[in-house]
Amino acid sequence: MKRRKFLKNSTLTTAGIFFTPFLASSKEINTKTKPSSATNFPIAICTWNFGNATAKAWEVLNANGNSLDAVQQGVMVEEANINNQTVGVGGRPDRDGNVTLDACIMDKEGNCGAVAYLQNIASPVSVARKVMEETPHVMLVGKGAEQFAYEKGFKKINLLTEKSKKQWLEWRKKSEYKPIINIENHDTIGMLAIDKDGDISGACTTSGMAYKIGGRVGDSPIIGAGLFVDNEIGAATATGVGEEVIRTVGSFLIVELMRQGKTPQQACEEGVKRIMAKNKDKTDFQIGFIAINKKGETGSYCIHPGFTYRSYSQKGHYNIPSDSYIKR
Ligand code: ASP
């Protein structure tokens, strides 16, 4: 379902939280893996209402797959979705009409790989995994990342769809860089998963802010900002205006707050509050964090109402609206 339509059709409870089961896959809840009562894993969660992505991750986890494969394959669903104009193929371009992709991935050992400003390649998260597993480096960018992808067998493709091109040509008439809160020009997918062994991984992938300056890279491929995993503690990932997430090293901060004893929910709230403390006069932007701890407890928080996250575990498949710093 389109997120905007979903939000229009939704009613929030007074607590600002309600759950929407993802009906299409309810039969998949007959799981093969059984969590103990004190824990809730396997589990996969992701930013926004990307139910097909969490369904894919769950398929991997439920077949006893590991969390690294689950997050990679989960976010790849959205990278391949041409109707999603914020991730992968079909993503909105920069102000010059170039689609440039950013992604990263991190495993239970703290290994990580990232690509930024990558063009002409459909699955940046898969290239990021190759960087992690087959190079001594963490991040490759631009032409070097593209060349590396070809060497690893990735095919060159045109990422700019007719729809995104048309909208960009329309945008060029005014050429105003003005991200609109909760409108689909910033819907990065960040995904966190815990497998049956209790091991955590994460991935994050995006086409970045629509109509950005050529060369701009946001938080999404930056380990610690757009994503962080510490298998002893938990993991966090972000969506929204990446510049603000970088300034607070948001995902790392949230994992460290969990280390100090905060729940995922409390840690996400503190993460957003740190951003707002640096933006006393500016509130016209959106950020959403999601987090998970070692037990499989989850949390989320955002600046403006409208952000939701998907959760798929033994308990079911839900779209969960996030509580927000600014209330309705
Ligand atoms: N965080 C992404 C970026 O700044 C965009 C988004 O999540 O909407 O590139």
Side-chain angles (χ1 to χ4, degrees), residues 91-269:
R92 290 195 179 84
D94 64 17
R95 67 179 185 184
D96 305 316
N98 299 312
V99 181
T100 71
L101 304 179
D102 301 334
C104 70
I105 191 159
M106 193 162 186
D107 74 7
K108 62 177 182 178
E109 312 283 355
N111 298 311
C112 46
V115 289
Y117 194 66
L118 176 65
Q119 297 181 58
N120 302 314
I121 301 289
S123 178
V125 77
S126 302
V127 184
R129 184 162 175 182
K130 291 272 181 210
V131 173
M132 175 173 89
E133 291 178 340
E134 297 179 24
T135 80
H137 308 306
V138 164
M139 181 182 256
L140 297 179
V141 307
K143 284 285 166 218
E146 192 178 339
Q147 185 54 38
F148 171 77
Y150 297 140
E151 282 164 23
K152 294 294 168 189
F154 290 83
K155 297 272 169 300
K156 179 170 186 163
I157 69 149
N158 176 19
L159 297 169
L160 187 63
T161 55
E162 275 312 306
K163 184 176 170 193
S164 289
K165 187 174 174 185
K166 229 170 123 188
Q167 290 175 358
W168 165 65
L169 289 171
E170 193 52 38
W171 172 84
R172 270 218 309 194
K173 291 181 185 160
K174 283 196 185 153
S175 291
E176 261 177 7
Y177 180 71
K178 220 175 166 193
I180 309 164
I181 292 163
N182 290 334
I183 302 298
E184 287 86 338
N185 60 358
H186 60 75
D187 287 2
T188 296
I189 179 164
M191 182 178 281
L192 312 171
I194 310 184
D195 58 31
K196 65 167 194 331
D197 298 327
D199 289 324
I200 311 172
S201 301
C204 187
T205 179
T206 190
S207 51
M209 303 302 287
Y211 317 132
K212 59 198 175 186
I213 295 174
R216 180 265 186 192
V217 170
D219 60 316
S220 307
I222 297 179
I223 297 296
L227 174 74
F228 196 71
V229 175
D230 183 327
N231 199 35
E232 279 183 12
I233 305 297
T237 187
T239 179
V241 176
E243 284 74 6
E244 297 301 336
V245 179
I246 293 172
R247 287 173 78 201
T248 49
V249 200
S251 295
F252 180 73
L253 171 66
I254 286 170
V255 173
E256 287 305 298
L257 289 165
M258 290 193 287
R259 189 192 306 280
Q260 290 164 21
K262 291 207 184 317
T263 63
Q265 182 60 35
Q266 290 166 340
C268 288
E269 289 179 17

Side-chain angles (χ1 to χ4, degrees), residues 275-300:
I275 289 173
M276 299 321 287
K278 290 191 169 148
N279 286 282
K280 295 226 161 51
D281 303 319
K282 189 170 163 266
T283 55
D284 60 344
F285 63 100
Q286 177 67 306
I287 305 257
F289 286 114
I290 62 172
I292 195 162
N293 67 12
K294 199 65 185 159
K295 290 189 265 183
E297 294 167 338
T298 65
S300 76

